[in-house]
Amino acid sequence: MWMDKKTATMKAAFVTSVGKVEIRDIPRPEPGKGQVLIRVRNAGICGSDLHLFLGTHAFRVLPAILGHEMAGEIAALGEGVEGWQLGEHVTVEPQLSCGTCAMCRQGRPNLCEKISVPGTPGWYGTFAEYFVAPVSCLYRMEKSLPFTSAVLTEPFAVAVHALRDAKPGPEDCCVILGAGTIGLLCLVAAGKIAGFSKVICTDTAPFNRELALRLGAAAAYDPLQENAEEEILRQTGGGAALTVVAAGAKDILNQASRVTRKCGEIRLVASLTRPIPYVAYDLAHKEQKLQGVWTYTSEDFAVAAQQINHGLDLHALVTQILPLDETQRGLEMLRDKTEDVAKILISL
């Protein structure tokens, strides 16, 4: 349907060295047993892609094809694939767990000891014209839905995982420190998934704070220009029930403890790859809980896909759409904040 049998190559964006992206022609893959070939239409630049670009990624090794967020159309079916058709619009849960390790047996496949993800040996990234995925990772997306919306399913699943089991009371407030893409998606999930009636955000960028207000935040403060902690404590009557850390400022964990109430929770969504100081007195004195958040489960991903398929509009987060050959520019833009940036998409 979209396949040109004479064409044996495809374009893909590689990070070849720190700060350097190359667009290469590589062999176009064929789907194996139980797999489909997807014509990628949009891929999203994630903070983890920036880590790869900067040479600070925890486990991806250069050179590597960027990307794990994507939306596209099924272009070919592998052997034994049933229940899927050419042309269906799909997105992919970009993690494949082993199903047998201790974490998988405990229902935590996101913490699988042998997990496979795009951009690692054996499964290349999504910044490519075609992408192969097992059918177990596929999610149907409505054909009426733009690919630029469907591609947001994966990052929204992170926010769903971060907020899904929160149980706020009617007066409880959620505070989100950092209103970048994931922080803003956590803002949406705090209201739509967890049911918080009030969410307060902080961020140093005026554009991010404005976007937070547009997406429903009760307030958005600049922690460098305002006494954000004092305002949060005043508005919450003693602190947030739940504080989500979605930024990596050097004092961010101390800020989180200070704005969280006694017996409140702090959830760390940001991937902090450098040491930062943390004085744990408030954590102990207030009997707070500090919990890490890592990707999502398939249940979280299904919730995210369902919400987007049923009309949840996250398109306000899409600030730039660039062609594949401008991937380097997109990563530099995200790194240097030369423009107002939330979510940058790559169009293929």
Side-chain angles (χ1 to χ4, degrees), residues 95-105 107-117 294-296:
Q95 54 185 19
L96 191 60
S97 58
C98 72
T100 60
C101 72
M103 289 294 99
C104 286
R105 293 198 304 271
R108 298 178 179 271
N110 54 317
L111 303 179
C112 173
E113 296 164 8
K114 301 175 183 178
I115 199 162
S116 177
V117 298
W294 190 252
T295 66
Y296 35 73

Short mmCIF file of all heavy atoms in Angstrom, two decimals, residues 95-105 107-117 294-296:
data_model
loop_
_atom_site.label_atom_id
_atom_site.label_comp_id
_atom_site.label_asym_id
_atom_site.label_seq_id
_atom_site.Cartn_x
_atom_site.Cartn_y
_atom_site.Cartn_z
N GLN A 95 8.55 -0.48 24.97
CA GLN A 95 9.32 -1.28 25.92
C GLN A 95 8.79 -2.71 25.86
O GLN A 95 7.59 -2.94 25.78
CB GLN A 95 9.25 -0.72 27.33
CG GLN A 95 7.86 -0.51 27.88
CD GLN A 95 7.86 0.16 29.25
OE1 GLN A 95 8.82 0.79 29.66
NE2 GLN A 95 6.76 0.02 29.97
N LEU A 96 9.71 -3.65 25.85
CA LEU A 96 9.35 -5.06 25.74
C LEU A 96 10.00 -5.80 26.89
O LEU A 96 11.22 -5.92 26.96
CB LEU A 96 9.84 -5.61 24.40
CG LEU A 96 9.34 -6.99 23.98
CD1 LEU A 96 7.82 -7.00 23.87
CD2 LEU A 96 9.98 -7.41 22.67
N SER A 97 9.18 -6.23 27.83
CA SER A 97 9.69 -6.91 29.02
C SER A 97 9.79 -8.40 28.78
O SER A 97 9.16 -8.96 27.88
CB SER A 97 8.79 -6.62 30.22
OG SER A 97 7.47 -7.03 29.95
N CYS A 98 10.59 -9.06 29.63
CA CYS A 98 10.83 -10.50 29.44
C CYS A 98 9.67 -11.36 29.94
O CYS A 98 9.47 -12.47 29.47
CB CYS A 98 12.13 -10.90 30.13
SG CYS A 98 12.04 -10.93 31.96
N GLY A 99 8.91 -10.85 30.92
CA GLY A 99 7.77 -11.59 31.44
C GLY A 99 8.10 -12.62 32.50
O GLY A 99 7.19 -13.22 33.08
N THR A 100 9.38 -12.86 32.76
CA THR A 100 9.75 -13.93 33.69
C THR A 100 10.60 -13.48 34.88
O THR A 100 10.73 -14.22 35.85
CB THR A 100 10.53 -15.04 32.95
OG1 THR A 100 11.72 -14.48 32.37
CG2 THR A 100 9.66 -15.65 31.85
N CYS A 101 11.20 -12.30 34.81
CA CYS A 101 12.08 -11.86 35.91
C CYS A 101 11.24 -11.49 37.14
O CYS A 101 10.00 -11.44 37.08
CB CYS A 101 12.94 -10.67 35.47
SG CYS A 101 12.04 -9.12 35.28
N ALA A 102 11.91 -11.20 38.24
CA ALA A 102 11.22 -10.91 39.50
C ALA A 102 10.28 -9.72 39.36
O ALA A 102 9.14 -9.75 39.86
CB ALA A 102 12.24 -10.66 40.60
N MET A 103 10.72 -8.66 38.69
CA MET A 103 9.87 -7.48 38.54
C MET A 103 8.65 -7.77 37.66
O MET A 103 7.54 -7.33 37.96
CB MET A 103 10.69 -6.32 37.97
CG MET A 103 11.71 -5.74 38.92
SD MET A 103 10.95 -4.91 40.37
CE MET A 103 11.06 -6.19 41.62
N CYS A 104 8.85 -8.49 36.58
CA CYS A 104 7.72 -8.85 35.73
C CYS A 104 6.71 -9.70 36.50
O CYS A 104 5.49 -9.51 36.37
CB CYS A 104 8.21 -9.60 34.49
SG CYS A 104 9.02 -8.55 33.26
N ARG A 105 7.20 -10.63 37.29
CA ARG A 105 6.29 -11.49 38.07
C ARG A 105 5.52 -10.70 39.12
O ARG A 105 4.44 -11.10 39.54
CB ARG A 105 7.08 -12.62 38.74
CG ARG A 105 7.68 -13.62 37.77
CD ARG A 105 8.06 -14.93 38.48
NE ARG A 105 8.98 -14.69 39.58
CZ ARG A 105 10.30 -14.67 39.48
NH1 ARG A 105 10.87 -14.84 38.30
NH2 ARG A 105 11.06 -14.48 40.55
N GLY A 107 4.32 -7.77 38.51
CA GLY A 107 3.47 -6.84 37.80
C GLY A 107 4.11 -5.49 37.56
O GLY A 107 3.42 -4.49 37.39
N ARG A 108 5.45 -5.46 37.51
CA ARG A 108 6.19 -4.22 37.26
C ARG A 108 7.08 -4.38 36.03
O ARG A 108 8.32 -4.33 36.13
CB ARG A 108 7.01 -3.85 38.49
CG ARG A 108 6.18 -3.57 39.74
CD ARG A 108 7.06 -3.24 40.93
NE ARG A 108 6.29 -2.96 42.12
CZ ARG A 108 5.85 -1.75 42.45
NH1 ARG A 108 6.11 -0.72 41.67
NH2 ARG A 108 5.15 -1.57 43.56
N PRO A 109 6.48 -4.59 34.87
CA PRO A 109 7.30 -4.83 33.67
C PRO A 109 8.16 -3.64 33.28
O PRO A 109 9.16 -3.80 32.57
CB PRO A 109 6.25 -5.13 32.59
CG PRO A 109 5.01 -4.45 33.08
CD PRO A 109 5.04 -4.58 34.57
N ASN A 110 7.79 -2.43 33.73
CA ASN A 110 8.62 -1.26 33.44
C ASN A 110 9.97 -1.34 34.13
O ASN A 110 10.91 -0.63 33.76
CB ASN A 110 7.90 0.02 33.86
CG ASN A 110 7.44 0.01 35.30
OD1 ASN A 110 6.91 -0.98 35.80
ND2 ASN A 110 7.64 1.11 36.00
N LEU A 111 10.08 -2.20 35.15
CA LEU A 111 11.34 -2.38 35.87
C LEU A 111 12.00 -3.71 35.52
O LEU A 111 12.88 -4.19 36.24
CB LEU A 111 11.10 -2.30 37.38
CG LEU A 111 10.45 -1.02 37.90
CD1 LEU A 111 10.25 -1.08 39.40
CD2 LEU A 111 11.29 0.21 37.52
N CYS A 112 11.58 -4.30 34.40
CA CYS A 112 12.11 -5.58 33.95
C CYS A 112 13.63 -5.55 33.90
O CYS A 112 14.25 -4.59 33.42
CB CYS A 112 11.55 -5.91 32.57
SG CYS A 112 12.26 -7.38 31.80
N GLU A 113 14.24 -6.63 34.36
CA GLU A 113 15.70 -6.72 34.40
C GLU A 113 16.31 -6.94 33.02
O GLU A 113 17.51 -6.74 32.82
CB GLU A 113 16.11 -7.85 35.35
CG GLU A 113 15.69 -7.59 36.80
CD GLU A 113 15.74 -8.83 37.67
OE1 GLU A 113 16.25 -9.87 37.19
OE2 GLU A 113 15.28 -8.76 38.83
N LYS A 114 15.48 -7.35 32.05
CA LYS A 114 15.98 -7.62 30.70
C LYS A 114 15.19 -6.82 29.66
O LYS A 114 15.06 -7.26 28.51
CB LYS A 114 15.88 -9.11 30.40
CG LYS A 114 16.66 -9.99 31.37
CD LYS A 114 16.42 -11.47 31.08
CE LYS A 114 17.14 -12.35 32.10
NZ LYS A 114 16.87 -13.80 31.86
N ILE A 115 14.70 -5.68 30.04
CA ILE A 115 13.80 -4.92 29.17
C ILE A 115 14.51 -4.47 27.89
O ILE A 115 15.72 -4.17 27.89
CB ILE A 115 13.23 -3.70 29.93
CG1 ILE A 115 11.96 -3.18 29.24
CG2 ILE A 115 14.28 -2.60 30.08
CD1 ILE A 115 11.12 -2.29 30.11
N SER A 116 13.77 -4.48 26.79
CA SER A 116 14.27 -4.01 25.50
C SER A 116 13.52 -2.74 25.13
O SER A 116 12.29 -2.69 25.22
CB SER A 116 14.05 -5.09 24.44
OG SER A 116 14.48 -4.64 23.17
N VAL A 117 14.27 -1.72 24.74
CA VAL A 117 13.67 -0.43 24.36
C VAL A 117 14.32 0.08 23.08
O VAL A 117 15.44 -0.31 22.75
CB VAL A 117 13.84 0.63 25.48
CG1 VAL A 117 13.12 0.19 26.74
CG2 VAL A 117 15.31 0.90 25.75
N TRP A 294 9.23 5.50 37.09
CA TRP A 294 9.96 5.08 35.90
C TRP A 294 9.00 4.59 34.83
O TRP A 294 8.30 3.60 35.00
CB TRP A 294 10.96 3.98 36.24
CG TRP A 294 11.90 3.68 35.12
CD1 TRP A 294 11.92 2.56 34.33
CD2 TRP A 294 12.96 4.51 34.64
NE1 TRP A 294 12.93 2.65 33.39
CE2 TRP A 294 13.58 3.84 33.57
CE3 TRP A 294 13.45 5.77 35.03
CZ2 TRP A 294 14.66 4.39 32.86
CZ3 TRP A 294 14.52 6.31 34.34
CH2 TRP A 294 15.12 5.63 33.28
N THR A 295 8.92 5.27 33.74
CA THR A 295 8.06 5.00 32.58
C THR A 295 6.63 4.65 32.99
O THR A 295 5.96 5.47 33.60
CB THR A 295 8.67 3.92 31.65
OG1 THR A 295 8.73 2.65 32.29
CG2 THR A 295 10.06 4.33 31.20
N TYR A 296 6.16 3.43 32.68
CA TYR A 296 4.73 3.11 32.83
C TYR A 296 4.55 1.62 32.66
O TYR A 296 5.42 0.90 32.17
CB TYR A 296 3.91 3.83 31.76
CG TYR A 296 4.66 3.92 30.45
CD1 TYR A 296 4.84 2.80 29.65
CD2 TYR A 296 5.26 5.11 30.06
CE1 TYR A 296 5.58 2.86 28.49
CE2 TYR A 296 6.01 5.18 28.90
CZ TYR A 296 6.17 4.06 28.11
OH TYR A 296 6.92 4.11 26.97
#
